[in-house]
Amino acid sequence: MNTRWTETRLAWLALGAVLGSALSVYWPQEPALGAYVASGGDKFCMCACTTTIGTSDAVFVLDQTTGRLIGAIYSNGRFGALYVRNLAADFGVTDKAYYNMVPASIGARIPGRAQTAEGSIFVGEERSGLVIMYAFQTTGGVNELIPVTNFNWRGA
């Protein structure tokens, strides 16, 4: 019995594999999604945020009692870049402040020689009604978190 190639299952399987492979090569690539993590409590909250491609993420800890935001980037077996900011002064709240923070991928640019991280941190405070966006550079040593912009979520 003489059959044509279009009548065999193996031929269709091979043709589907070739077309599927060709399609996967020329299909537009989708960007990899990064996970942003934030966790909060009564005494402190933490979040992780992206620095630059190919490097570790930064971790930030916000102390609810003192209003200090401290962060670091892990690199080569140690925390090489450290960040410190007094949020109580930024928000103008001295007593019974309650903060909340989340990371975001903003890519804000800070003037200067060092590379600015891709991620930023949004910090909100309950009593003042302010949300402030902080950006940071990825240089080693002790650095400052830079407030970029803010808005009042309770209205003007």
Side-chain angles (χ1 to χ4, degrees), residues 103-126:
S105 180
I106 298 296
R109 296 291 158 233
I110 303 170
R113 297 179 143 192
Q115 182 177 3
T116 305
E118 292 176 1
S120 297
I121 301 169
F122 291 99
V123 179
E125 199 282 319
E126 187 177 307

Side-chain angles (χ1 to χ4, degrees), residues 94-153:
T94 56
D95 202 22
K96 296 181 182 176
Y98 186 74
Y99 303 99
N100 198 358
M101 73 173 171
V102 293
S105 180
I106 298 296
R109 296 291 158 233
I110 303 170
R113 297 179 143 192
Q115 182 177 3
T116 305
E118 292 176 1
S120 297
I121 301 169
F122 291 99
V123 179
E125 199 282 319
E126 187 177 307
R127 291 186 66 207
S128 68
L130 284 177
V131 172
I132 300 177
M133 182 180 101
Y134 293 94
F136 58 98
Q137 295 178 326
T138 58
T139 58
V142 178
N143 301 291
E144 187 175 13
L145 290 158
I146 309 297
V148 177
T149 187
N150 65 58
F151 73 95
N152 189 329
W153 56 272

Side-chain angles (χ1 to χ4, degrees), residues 22-151:
L23 182 65
S24 70
V25 169
Y26 293 107
W27 195 267
Q29 298 294 319
E30 295 181 16
L33 298 176
Y36 292 102
V37 181
S39 175
D42 290 339
K43 300 292 181 185
F44 75 98
C45 49
M46 292 178 64
C47 75
C49 124
T50 305
T51 55
T52 57
I53 294 174
T55 61
S56 298
D57 288 352
V59 62
F60 292 93
V61 178
L62 195 159
D63 185 353
Q64 294 280 6
T65 57
T66 64
R68 285 178 32 120
L69 177 60
I70 301 171
I73 298 175
Y74 179 81
S75 178
N76 297 326
R78 65 185 183 89
F79 286 103
L82 301 172
Y83 304 93
V84 179
R85 187 76 189 187
N86 181 358
L87 298 182
D90 290 347
F91 287 95
V93 178
T94 56
D95 202 22
K96 296 181 182 176
Y98 186 74
Y99 303 99
N100 198 358
M101 73 173 171
V102 293
S105 180
I106 298 296
R109 296 291 158 233
I110 303 170
R113 297 179 143 192
Q115 182 177 3
T116 305
E118 292 176 1
S120 297
I121 301 169
F122 291 99
V123 179
E125 199 282 319
E126 187 177 307
R127 291 186 66 207
S128 68
L130 284 177
V131 172
I132 300 177
M133 182 180 101
Y134 293 94
F136 58 98
Q137 295 178 326
T138 58
T139 58
V142 178
N143 301 291
E144 187 175 13
L145 290 158
I146 309 297
V148 177
T149 187
N150 65 58
F151 73 95

